[in-house]
Amino acid sequence: LQELYGALLREMSRLLDPAGRAVLLAEDGALLRSAAEQYGLDCTELMRISLKGIQPAIYRLTK
């Protein structure tokens, strides 16, 4: 999962416009925030949801 988040956020950081934002659904917020910080993205948890027995959250990423 760490490799996936790293690759995904590296590409988002490259493509995201300075005023743009991305919205992600993820279960491991600490891992997502760590990868976001590594690539200069701000990661904000917007809302937790219940999805078929798991508790992911919706995150907003900005530069």
Side-chain angles (χ1 to χ4, degrees):
L1 201 52
Q2 185 174 5
E3 289 180 29
L4 173 67
Y5 283 174
L8 176 68
L9 295 181
R10 181 180 59 242
E11 190 67 6
M12 280 187 180
S13 177
R14 186 180 75 80
L15 295 174
L16 197 60
D17 184 85
R21 61 185 158 236
V23 178
L24 298 176
L25 178 66
E27 189 173 10
D28 192 337
L31 191 57
L32 182 64
R33 282 188 292 278
S34 175
E37 184 177 304
Q38 181 180 353
Y39 293 104
L41 297 170
D42 180 51
C43 180
T44 304
E45 183 178 315
L46 300 177
M47 173 187 306
R48 284 235 161 246
I49 63 171
S50 179
L51 184 65
K52 295 186 178 188
I54 60 172
Q55 301 290 317
I58 300 170
Y59 296 91
R60 179 180 56 224
L61 296 157
T62 56
K63 277 196 166 183

